[in-house]
Amino acid sequence: RSTLFPYTTLFRSGEVGHWEVLGQMAKSAGRIDVNDLVGWALPIQQQHFDTARSTAAKLAASEDPEEEE
């Protein structure tokens, strides 16, 4: 039931990391076009990650660890 949220948070954090790495590589290679794409996509991915993280935290706080499934 609630195990989906930790995995969602993990996957979202990976996406943010990949965009950050791509941005650094684009900067090093002088690829303004790719850097522009990263500038557009990274805030979106960061927002997705922040939402997944906060939702997972809220769900975890509402879970009863003593409840039988």
Side-chain angles (χ1 to χ4, degrees):
R1 182 170 65 160
S2 63
T3 57
L4 174 63
F5 288 95
Y7 289 113
T8 301
T9 304
L10 174 65
F11 294 138
R12 292 290 182 205
S13 65
E15 292 173 11
V16 170
H18 289 132
W19 281 105
E20 289 174 341
V21 168
L22 182 60
Q24 185 57 53
M25 292 173 68
K27 183 178 176 183
S28 296
R31 292 293 306 268
I32 296 170
D33 57 335
V34 176
N35 203 40
D36 288 346
L37 176 62
V38 171
W40 170 81
L42 185 57
I44 295 169
Q45 293 302 322
Q46 185 65 51
Q47 180 62 42
H48 288 175
F49 172 67
D50 292 343
T51 300
R53 182 181 58 204
S54 67
T55 302
K58 288 176 188 174
L59 181 64
S62 71
E63 290 288 309
D64 178 0
E66 303 298 324
E67 181 182 338
E68 298 277 336
E69 288 195 30

mmCIF file with all atom_site columns, all heavy atoms in Angstrom, residues 5-28:
data_model
loop_
_atom_site.group_PDB
_atom_site.id
_atom_site.type_symbol
_atom_site.label_atom_id
_atom_site.label_alt_id
_atom_site.label_comp_id
_atom_site.label_asym_id
_atom_site.label_entity_id
_atom_site.label_seq_id
_atom_site.pdbx_PDB_ins_code
_atom_site.Cartn_x
_atom_site.Cartn_y
_atom_site.Cartn_z
_atom_site.occupancy
_atom_site.B_iso_or_equiv
_atom_site.pdbx_formal_charge
_atom_site.auth_seq_id
_atom_site.auth_comp_id
_atom_site.auth_asym_id
_atom_site.auth_atom_id
_atom_site.pdbx_PDB_model_num
ATOM 1   N N   . PHE A 1 5  ? 5.093  4.987  -2.418  1.00 0.00 ? 5  PHE A N   1
ATOM 2   C CA  . PHE A 1 5  ? 5.582  6.345  -2.253  1.00 0.00 ? 5  PHE A CA  1
ATOM 3   C C   . PHE A 1 5  ? 7.086  6.433  -2.040  1.00 0.00 ? 5  PHE A C   1
ATOM 4   O O   . PHE A 1 5  ? 7.733  7.291  -2.633  1.00 0.00 ? 5  PHE A O   1
ATOM 5   C CB  . PHE A 1 5  ? 4.789  7.077  -1.159  1.00 0.00 ? 5  PHE A CB  1
ATOM 6   C CG  . PHE A 1 5  ? 3.405  7.414  -1.608  1.00 0.00 ? 5  PHE A CG  1
ATOM 7   C CD1 . PHE A 1 5  ? 2.348  6.582  -1.315  1.00 0.00 ? 5  PHE A CD1 1
ATOM 8   C CD2 . PHE A 1 5  ? 3.178  8.546  -2.371  1.00 0.00 ? 5  PHE A CD2 1
ATOM 9   C CE1 . PHE A 1 5  ? 1.075  6.884  -1.766  1.00 0.00 ? 5  PHE A CE1 1
ATOM 10  C CE2 . PHE A 1 5  ? 1.903  8.852  -2.828  1.00 0.00 ? 5  PHE A CE2 1
ATOM 11  C CZ  . PHE A 1 5  ? 0.854  8.023  -2.519  1.00 0.00 ? 5  PHE A CZ  1
ATOM 12  N N   . PRO A 1 6  ? 7.707  5.575  -1.214  1.00 0.00 ? 6  PRO A N   1
ATOM 13  C CA  . PRO A 1 6  ? 9.168  5.654  -1.124  1.00 0.00 ? 6  PRO A CA  1
ATOM 14  C C   . PRO A 1 6  ? 9.858  5.398  -2.465  1.00 0.00 ? 6  PRO A C   1
ATOM 15  O O   . PRO A 1 6  ? 10.838 6.053  -2.796  1.00 0.00 ? 6  PRO A O   1
ATOM 16  C CB  . PRO A 1 6  ? 9.518  4.573  -0.100  1.00 0.00 ? 6  PRO A CB  1
ATOM 17  C CG  . PRO A 1 6  ? 8.294  4.428  0.728   1.00 0.00 ? 6  PRO A CG  1
ATOM 18  C CD  . PRO A 1 6  ? 7.149  4.665  -0.222  1.00 0.00 ? 6  PRO A CD  1
ATOM 19  N N   . TYR A 1 7  ? 9.320  4.475  -3.254  1.00 0.00 ? 7  TYR A N   1
ATOM 20  C CA  . TYR A 1 7  ? 9.921  4.207  -4.558  1.00 0.00 ? 7  TYR A CA  1
ATOM 21  C C   . TYR A 1 7  ? 9.722  5.387  -5.501  1.00 0.00 ? 7  TYR A C   1
ATOM 22  O O   . TYR A 1 7  ? 10.623 5.743  -6.256  1.00 0.00 ? 7  TYR A O   1
ATOM 23  C CB  . TYR A 1 7  ? 9.352  2.931  -5.180  1.00 0.00 ? 7  TYR A CB  1
ATOM 24  C CG  . TYR A 1 7  ? 9.822  1.694  -4.476  1.00 0.00 ? 7  TYR A CG  1
ATOM 25  C CD1 . TYR A 1 7  ? 8.937  0.897  -3.762  1.00 0.00 ? 7  TYR A CD1 1
ATOM 26  C CD2 . TYR A 1 7  ? 11.163 1.324  -4.499  1.00 0.00 ? 7  TYR A CD2 1
ATOM 27  C CE1 . TYR A 1 7  ? 9.371  -0.239 -3.103  1.00 0.00 ? 7  TYR A CE1 1
ATOM 28  C CE2 . TYR A 1 7  ? 11.608 0.197  -3.837  1.00 0.00 ? 7  TYR A CE2 1
ATOM 29  C CZ  . TYR A 1 7  ? 10.710 -0.580 -3.145  1.00 0.00 ? 7  TYR A CZ  1
ATOM 30  O OH  . TYR A 1 7  ? 11.144 -1.688 -2.490  1.00 0.00 ? 7  TYR A OH  1
ATOM 31  N N   . THR A 1 8  ? 8.558  6.017  -5.451  1.00 0.00 ? 8  THR A N   1
ATOM 32  C CA  . THR A 1 8  ? 8.311  7.193  -6.282  1.00 0.00 ? 8  THR A CA  1
ATOM 33  C C   . THR A 1 8  ? 9.295  8.295  -5.930  1.00 0.00 ? 8  THR A C   1
ATOM 34  O O   . THR A 1 8  ? 9.860  8.944  -6.808  1.00 0.00 ? 8  THR A O   1
ATOM 35  C CB  . THR A 1 8  ? 6.860  7.684  -6.095  1.00 0.00 ? 8  THR A CB  1
ATOM 36  O OG1 . THR A 1 8  ? 5.967  6.631  -6.450  1.00 0.00 ? 8  THR A OG1 1
ATOM 37  C CG2 . THR A 1 8  ? 6.572  8.898  -6.951  1.00 0.00 ? 8  THR A CG2 1
ATOM 38  N N   . THR A 1 9  ? 9.522  8.504  -4.644  1.00 0.00 ? 9  THR A N   1
ATOM 39  C CA  . THR A 1 9  ? 10.475 9.526  -4.207  1.00 0.00 ? 9  THR A CA  1
ATOM 40  C C   . THR A 1 9  ? 11.872 9.203  -4.724  1.00 0.00 ? 9  THR A C   1
ATOM 41  O O   . THR A 1 9  ? 12.578 10.067 -5.233  1.00 0.00 ? 9  THR A O   1
ATOM 42  C CB  . THR A 1 9  ? 10.476 9.627  -2.671  1.00 0.00 ? 9  THR A CB  1
ATOM 43  O OG1 . THR A 1 9  ? 9.146  9.898  -2.225  1.00 0.00 ? 9  THR A OG1 1
ATOM 44  C CG2 . THR A 1 9  ? 11.406 10.721 -2.199  1.00 0.00 ? 9  THR A CG2 1
ATOM 45  N N   . LEU A 1 10 ? 12.267 7.949  -4.613  1.00 0.00 ? 10 LEU A N   1
ATOM 46  C CA  . LEU A 1 10 ? 13.579 7.531  -5.090  1.00 0.00 ? 10 LEU A CA  1
ATOM 47  C C   . LEU A 1 10 ? 13.727 7.779  -6.585  1.00 0.00 ? 10 LEU A C   1
ATOM 48  O O   . LEU A 1 10 ? 14.729 8.337  -7.037  1.00 0.00 ? 10 LEU A O   1
ATOM 49  C CB  . LEU A 1 10 ? 13.787 6.043  -4.786  1.00 0.00 ? 10 LEU A CB  1
ATOM 50  C CG  . LEU A 1 10 ? 15.065 5.411  -5.338  1.00 0.00 ? 10 LEU A CG  1
ATOM 51  C CD1 . LEU A 1 10 ? 16.289 6.024  -4.681  1.00 0.00 ? 10 LEU A CD1 1
ATOM 52  C CD2 . LEU A 1 10 ? 15.024 3.911  -5.115  1.00 0.00 ? 10 LEU A CD2 1
ATOM 53  N N   . PHE A 1 11 ? 12.735 7.396  -7.384  1.00 0.00 ? 11 PHE A N   1
ATOM 54  C CA  . PHE A 1 11 ? 12.835 7.566  -8.829  1.00 0.00 ? 11 PHE A CA  1
ATOM 55  C C   . PHE A 1 11 ? 12.846 9.038  -9.214  1.00 0.00 ? 11 PHE A C   1
ATOM 56  O O   . PHE A 1 11 ? 13.565 9.437  -10.117 1.00 0.00 ? 11 PHE A O   1
ATOM 57  C CB  . PHE A 1 11 ? 11.701 6.838  -9.543  1.00 0.00 ? 11 PHE A CB  1
ATOM 58  C CG  . PHE A 1 11 ? 11.769 5.353  -9.387  1.00 0.00 ? 11 PHE A CG  1
ATOM 59  C CD1 . PHE A 1 11 ? 10.632 4.609  -9.141  1.00 0.00 ? 11 PHE A CD1 1
ATOM 60  C CD2 . PHE A 1 11 ? 12.978 4.665  -9.457  1.00 0.00 ? 11 PHE A CD2 1
ATOM 61  C CE1 . PHE A 1 11 ? 10.690 3.234  -8.993  1.00 0.00 ? 11 PHE A CE1 1
ATOM 62  C CE2 . PHE A 1 11 ? 13.050 3.288  -9.301  1.00 0.00 ? 11 PHE A CE2 1
ATOM 63  C CZ  . PHE A 1 11 ? 11.896 2.577  -9.075  1.00 0.00 ? 11 PHE A CZ  1
ATOM 64  N N   . ARG A 1 12 ? 12.048 9.853  -8.540  1.00 0.00 ? 12 ARG A N   1
ATOM 65  C CA  . ARG A 1 12 ? 12.040 11.283 -8.845  1.00 0.00 ? 12 ARG A CA  1
ATOM 66  C C   . ARG A 1 12 ? 13.396 11.915 -8.541  1.00 0.00 ? 12 ARG A C   1
ATOM 67  O O   . ARG A 1 12 ? 13.854 12.792 -9.255  1.00 0.00 ? 12 ARG A O   1
ATOM 68  C CB  . ARG A 1 12 ? 10.942 12.011 -8.067  1.00 0.00 ? 12 ARG A CB  1
ATOM 69  C CG  . ARG A 1 12 ? 9.556  11.652 -8.489  1.00 0.00 ? 12 ARG A CG  1
ATOM 70  C CD  . ARG A 1 12 ? 9.251  12.203 -9.849  1.00 0.00 ? 12 ARG A CD  1
ATOM 71  N NE  . ARG A 1 12 ? 7.881  11.887 -10.203 1.00 0.00 ? 12 ARG A NE  1
ATOM 72  C CZ  . ARG A 1 12 ? 7.443  11.794 -11.430 1.00 0.00 ? 12 ARG A CZ  1
ATOM 73  N NH1 . ARG A 1 12 ? 8.250  12.013 -12.436 1.00 0.00 ? 12 ARG A NH1 1
ATOM 74  N NH2 . ARG A 1 12 ? 6.203  11.503 -11.689 1.00 0.00 ? 12 ARG A NH2 1
ATOM 75  N N   . SER A 1 13 ? 14.035 11.484 -7.459  1.00 0.00 ? 13 SER A N   1
ATOM 76  C CA  . SER A 1 13 ? 15.336 12.065 -7.126  1.00 0.00 ? 13 SER A CA  1
ATOM 77  C C   . SER A 1 13 ? 16.362 11.711 -8.195  1.00 0.00 ? 13 SER A C   1
ATOM 78  O O   . SER A 1 13 ? 17.242 12.510 -8.501  1.00 0.00 ? 13 SER A O   1
ATOM 79  C CB  . SER A 1 13 ? 15.812 11.595 -5.752  1.00 0.00 ? 13 SER A CB  1
ATOM 80  O OG  . SER A 1 13 ? 16.065 10.204 -5.734  1.00 0.00 ? 13 SER A OG  1
ATOM 81  N N   . GLY A 1 14 ? 16.252 10.520 -8.769  1.00 0.00 ? 14 GLY A N   1
ATOM 82  C CA  . GLY A 1 14 ? 17.162 10.128 -9.846  1.00 0.00 ? 14 GLY A CA  1
ATOM 83  C C   . GLY A 1 14 ? 17.001 10.991 -11.072 1.00 0.00 ? 14 GLY A C   1
ATOM 84  O O   . GLY A 1 14 ? 17.983 11.360 -11.720 1.00 0.00 ? 14 GLY A O   1
ATOM 85  N N   . GLU A 1 15 ? 15.755 11.334 -11.400 1.00 0.00 ? 15 GLU A N   1
ATOM 86  C CA  . GLU A 1 15 ? 15.510 12.185 -12.565 1.00 0.00 ? 15 GLU A CA  1
ATOM 87  C C   . GLU A 1 15 ? 16.132 13.558 -12.375 1.00 0.00 ? 15 GLU A C   1
ATOM 88  O O   . GLU A 1 15 ? 16.738 14.106 -13.300 1.00 0.00 ? 15 GLU A O   1
ATOM 89  C CB  . GLU A 1 15 ? 14.008 12.315 -12.816 1.00 0.00 ? 15 GLU A CB  1
ATOM 90  C CG  . GLU A 1 15 ? 13.361 11.024 -13.274 1.00 0.00 ? 15 GLU A CG  1
ATOM 91  C CD  . GLU A 1 15 ? 11.853 11.118 -13.358 1.00 0.00 ? 15 GLU A CD  1
ATOM 92  O OE1 . GLU A 1 15 ? 11.301 12.238 -13.269 1.00 0.00 ? 15 GLU A OE1 1
ATOM 93  O OE2 . GLU A 1 15 ? 11.216 10.069 -13.510 1.00 0.00 ? 15 GLU A OE2 1
ATOM 94  N N   . VAL A 1 16 ? 15.992 14.110 -11.185 1.00 0.00 ? 16 VAL A N   1
ATOM 95  C CA  . VAL A 1 16 ? 16.595 15.414 -10.902 1.00 0.00 ? 16 VAL A CA  1
ATOM 96  C C   . VAL A 1 16 ? 18.116 15.325 -11.065 1.00 0.00 ? 16 VAL A C   1
ATOM 97  O O   . VAL A 1 16 ? 18.735 16.178 -11.688 1.00 0.00 ? 16 VAL A O   1
ATOM 98  C CB  . VAL A 1 16 ? 16.221 15.902 -9.479  1.00 0.00 ? 16 VAL A CB  1
ATOM 99  C CG1 . VAL A 1 16 ? 17.034 17.125 -9.089  1.00 0.00 ? 16 VAL A CG1 1
ATOM 100 C CG2 . VAL A 1 16 ? 14.733 16.206 -9.396  1.00 0.00 ? 16 VAL A CG2 1
ATOM 101 N N   . GLY A 1 17 ? 18.700 14.271 -10.537 1.00 0.00 ? 17 GLY A N   1
ATOM 102 C CA  . GLY A 1 17 ? 20.145 14.090 -10.649 1.00 0.00 ? 17 GLY A CA  1
ATOM 103 C C   . GLY A 1 17 ? 20.617 13.981 -12.086 1.00 0.00 ? 17 GLY A C   1
ATOM 104 O O   . GLY A 1 17 ? 21.647 14.560 -12.453 1.00 0.00 ? 17 GLY A O   1
ATOM 105 N N   . HIS A 1 18 ? 19.863 13.260 -12.905 1.00 0.00 ? 18 HIS A N   1
ATOM 106 C CA  . HIS A 1 18 ? 20.253 13.122 -14.310 1.00 0.00 ? 18 HIS A CA  1
ATOM 107 C C   . HIS A 1 18 ? 20.220 14.457 -15.027 1.00 0.00 ? 18 HIS A C   1
ATOM 108 O O   . HIS A 1 18 ? 21.125 14.768 -15.818 1.00 0.00 ? 18 HIS A O   1
ATOM 109 C CB  . HIS A 1 18 ? 19.335 12.118 -15.027 1.00 0.00 ? 18 HIS A CB  1
ATOM 110 C CG  . HIS A 1 18 ? 19.578 10.713 -14.606 1.00 0.00 ? 18 HIS A CG  1
ATOM 111 N ND1 . HIS A 1 18 ? 18.560 9.865  -14.251 1.00 0.00 ? 18 HIS A ND1 1
ATOM 112 C CD2 . HIS A 1 18 ? 20.712 9.999  -14.456 1.00 0.00 ? 18 HIS A CD2 1
ATOM 113 C CE1 . HIS A 1 18 ? 19.062 8.696  -13.916 1.00 0.00 ? 18 HIS A CE1 1
ATOM 114 N NE2 . HIS A 1 18 ? 20.362 8.754  -14.027 1.00 0.00 ? 18 HIS A NE2 1
ATOM 115 N N   . TRP A 1 19 ? 19.201 15.265 -14.766 1.00 0.00 ? 19 TRP A N   1
ATOM 116 C CA  . TRP A 1 19 ? 19.135 16.581 -15.398 1.00 0.00 ? 19 TRP A CA  1
ATOM 117 C C   . TRP A 1 19 ? 20.270 17.477 -14.928 1.00 0.00 ? 19 TRP A C   1
ATOM 118 O O   . TRP A 1 19 ? 20.835 18.241 -15.712 1.00 0.00 ? 19 TRP A O   1
ATOM 119 C CB  . TRP A 1 19 ? 17.772 17.235 -15.152 1.00 0.00 ? 19 TRP A CB  1
ATOM 120 C CG  . TRP A 1 19 ? 16.712 16.692 -16.050 1.00 0.00 ? 19 TRP A CG  1
ATOM 121 C CD1 . TRP A 1 19 ? 15.720 15.819 -15.710 1.00 0.00 ? 19 TRP A CD1 1
ATOM 122 C CD2 . TRP A 1 19 ? 16.555 16.953 -17.436 1.00 0.00 ? 19 TRP A CD2 1
ATOM 123 N NE1 . TRP A 1 19 ? 14.953 15.526 -16.810 1.00 0.00 ? 19 TRP A NE1 1
ATOM 124 C CE2 . TRP A 1 19 ? 15.435 16.217 -17.887 1.00 0.00 ? 19 TRP A CE2 1
ATOM 125 C CE3 . TRP A 1 19 ? 17.231 17.745 -18.351 1.00 0.00 ? 19 TRP A CE3 1
ATOM 126 C CZ2 . TRP A 1 19 ? 14.999 16.249 -19.206 1.00 0.00 ? 19 TRP A CZ2 1
ATOM 127 C CZ3 . TRP A 1 19 ? 16.789 17.781 -19.670 1.00 0.00 ? 19 TRP A CZ3 1
ATOM 128 C CH2 . TRP A 1 19 ? 15.683 17.030 -20.080 1.00 0.00 ? 19 TRP A CH2 1
ATOM 129 N N   . GLU A 1 20 ? 20.632 17.379 -13.645 1.00 0.00 ? 20 GLU A N   1
ATOM 130 C CA  . GLU A 1 20 ? 21.750 18.177 -13.141 1.00 0.00 ? 20 GLU A CA  1
ATOM 131 C C   . GLU A 1 20 ? 23.063 17.771 -13.811 1.00 0.00 ? 20 GLU A C   1
ATOM 132 O O   . GLU A 1 20 ? 23.871 18.622 -14.185 1.00 0.00 ? 20 GLU A O   1
ATOM 133 C CB  . GLU A 1 20 ? 21.851 18.041 -11.628 1.00 0.00 ? 20 GLU A CB  1
ATOM 134 C CG  . GLU A 1 20 ? 20.724 18.745 -10.899 1.00 0.00 ? 20 GLU A CG  1
ATOM 135 C CD  . GLU A 1 20 ? 20.732 18.504 -9.398  1.00 0.00 ? 20 GLU A CD  1
ATOM 136 O OE1 . GLU A 1 20 ? 21.372 17.536 -8.932  1.00 0.00 ? 20 GLU A OE1 1
ATOM 137 O OE2 . GLU A 1 20 ? 20.078 19.289 -8.688  1.00 0.00 ? 20 GLU A OE2 1
ATOM 138 N N   . VAL A 1 21 ? 23.283 16.469 -13.970 1.00 0.00 ? 21 VAL A N   1
ATOM 139 C CA  . VAL A 1 21 ? 24.493 15.979 -14.631 1.00 0.00 ? 21 VAL A CA  1
ATOM 140 C C   . VAL A 1 21 ? 24.512 16.424 -16.089 1.00 0.00 ? 21 VAL A C   1
ATOM 141 O O   . VAL A 1 21 ? 25.540 16.897 -16.598 1.00 0.00 ? 21 VAL A O   1
ATOM 142 C CB  . VAL A 1 21 ? 24.593 14.437 -14.515 1.00 0.00 ? 21 VAL A CB  1
ATOM 143 C CG1 . VAL A 1 21 ? 25.666 13.886 -15.427 1.00 0.00 ? 21 VAL A CG1 1
ATOM 144 C CG2 . VAL A 1 21 ? 24.839 14.033 -13.070 1.00 0.00 ? 21 VAL A CG2 1
ATOM 145 N N   . LEU A 1 22 ? 23.379 16.296 -16.765 1.00 0.00 ? 22 LEU A N   1
ATOM 146 C CA  . LEU A 1 22 ? 23.304 16.724 -18.158 1.00 0.00 ? 22 LEU A CA  1
ATOM 147 C C   . LEU A 1 22 ? 23.607 18.213 -18.283 1.00 0.00 ? 22 LEU A C   1
ATOM 148 O O   . LEU A 1 22 ? 24.320 18.638 -19.199 1.00 0.00 ? 22 LEU A O   1
ATOM 149 C CB  . LEU A 1 22 ? 21.923 16.409 -18.743 1.00 0.00 ? 22 LEU A CB  1
ATOM 150 C CG  . LEU A 1 22 ? 21.727 16.772 -20.205 1.00 0.00 ? 22 LEU A CG  1
ATOM 151 C CD1 . LEU A 1 22 ? 22.707 16.024 -21.108 1.00 0.00 ? 22 LEU A CD1 1
ATOM 152 C CD2 . LEU A 1 22 ? 20.285 16.503 -20.624 1.00 0.00 ? 22 LEU A CD2 1
ATOM 153 N N   . GLY A 1 23 ? 23.115 18.996 -17.343 1.00 0.00 ? 23 GLY A N   1
ATOM 154 C CA  . GLY A 1 23 ? 23.395 20.439 -17.360 1.00 0.00 ? 23 GLY A CA  1
ATOM 155 C C   . GLY A 1 23 ? 24.874 20.727 -17.226 1.00 0.00 ? 23 GLY A C   1
ATOM 156 O O   . GLY A 1 23 ? 25.419 21.589 -17.925 1.00 0.00 ? 23 GLY A O   1
ATOM 157 N N   . GLN A 1 24 ? 25.541 20.020 -16.336 1.00 0.00 ? 24 GLN A N   1
ATOM 158 C CA  . GLN A 1 24 ? 26.981 20.227 -16.164 1.00 0.00 ? 24 GLN A CA  1
ATOM 159 C C   . GLN A 1 24 ? 27.754 19.803 -17.416 1.00 0.00 ? 24 GLN A C   1
ATOM 160 O O   . GLN A 1 24 ? 28.681 20.491 -17.850 1.00 0.00 ? 24 GLN A O   1
ATOM 161 C CB  . GLN A 1 24 ? 27.500 19.459 -14.950 1.00 0.00 ? 24 GLN A CB  1
ATOM 162 C CG  . GLN A 1 24 ? 28.951 19.724 -14.651 1.00 0.00 ? 24 GLN A CG  1
ATOM 163 C CD  . GLN A 1 24 ? 29.237 21.200 -14.432 1.00 0.00 ? 24 GLN A CD  1
ATOM 164 O OE1 . GLN A 1 24 ? 28.610 21.864 -13.637 1.00 0.00 ? 24 GLN A OE1 1
ATOM 165 N NE2 . GLN A 1 24 ? 30.203 21.734 -15.183 1.00 0.00 ? 24 GLN A NE2 1
ATOM 166 N N   . MET A 1 25 ? 27.353 18.681 -17.997 1.00 0.00 ? 25 MET A N   1
ATOM 167 C CA  . MET A 1 25 ? 28.019 18.218 -19.219 1.00 0.00 ? 25 MET A CA  1
ATOM 168 C C   . MET A 1 25 ? 27.794 19.200 -20.364 1.00 0.00 ? 25 MET A C   1
ATOM 169 O O   . MET A 1 25 ? 28.717 19.486 -21.127 1.00 0.00 ? 25 MET A O   1
ATOM 170 C CB  . MET A 1 25 ? 27.504 16.823 -19.593 1.00 0.00 ? 25 MET A CB  1
ATOM 171 C CG  . MET A 1 25 ? 27.926 15.752 -18.605 1.00 0.00 ? 25 MET A CG  1
ATOM 172 S SD  . MET A 1 25 ? 27.168 14.157 -18.937 1.00 0.00 ? 25 MET A SD  1
ATOM 173 C CE  . MET A 1 25 ? 27.952 13.723 -20.487 1.00 0.00 ? 25 MET A CE  1
ATOM 174 N N   . ALA A 1 26 ? 26.581 19.732 -20.472 1.00 0.00 ? 26 ALA A N   1
ATOM 175 C CA  . ALA A 1 26 ? 26.280 20.698 -21.531 1.00 0.00 ? 26 ALA A CA  1
ATOM 176 C C   . ALA A 1 26 ? 27.107 21.969 -21.343 1.00 0.00 ? 26 ALA A C   1
ATOM 177 O O   . ALA A 1 26 ? 27.629 22.531 -22.312 1.00 0.00 ? 26 ALA A O   1
ATOM 178 C CB  . ALA A 1 26 ? 24.786 21.025 -21.528 1.00 0.00 ? 26 ALA A CB  1
ATOM 179 N N   . LYS A 1 27 ? 27.231 22.392 -20.094 1.00 0.00 ? 27 LYS A N   1
ATOM 180 C CA  . LYS A 1 27 ? 28.032 23.587 -19.813 1.00 0.00 ? 27 LYS A CA  1
ATOM 181 C C   . LYS A 1 27 ? 29.489 23.355 -20.199 1.00 0.00 ? 27 LYS A C   1
ATOM 182 O O   . LYS A 1 27 ? 30.113 24.201 -20.847 1.00 0.00 ? 27 LYS A O   1
ATOM 183 C CB  . LYS A 1 27 ? 27.916 23.934 -18.330 1.00 0.00 ? 27 LYS A CB  1
ATOM 184 C CG  . LYS A 1 27 ? 28.623 25.182 -17.919 1.00 0.00 ? 27 LYS A CG  1
ATOM 185 C CD  . LYS A 1 27 ? 28.402 25.454 -16.435 1.00 0.00 ? 27 LYS A CD  1
ATOM 186 C CE  . LYS A 1 27 ? 29.195 26.668 -16.000 1.00 0.00 ? 27 LYS A CE  1
ATOM 187 N NZ  . LYS A 1 27 ? 29.059 26.901 -14.549 1.00 0.00 ? 27 LYS A NZ  1
ATOM 188 N N   . SER A 1 28 ? 30.020 22.203 -19.806 1.00 0.00 ? 28 SER A N   1
ATOM 189 C CA  . SER A 1 28 ? 31.422 21.886 -20.126 1.00 0.00 ? 28 SER A CA  1
ATOM 190 C C   . SER A 1 28 ? 31.661 21.791 -21.625 1.00 0.00 ? 28 SER A C   1
ATOM 191 O O   . SER A 1 28 ? 32.738 22.135 -22.113 1.00 0.00 ? 28 SER A O   1
ATOM 192 C CB  . SER A 1 28 ? 31.826 20.563 -19.472 1.00 0.00 ? 28 SER A CB  1
ATOM 193 O OG  . SER A 1 28 ? 31.778 20.674 -18.073 1.00 0.00 ? 28 SER A OG  1
#
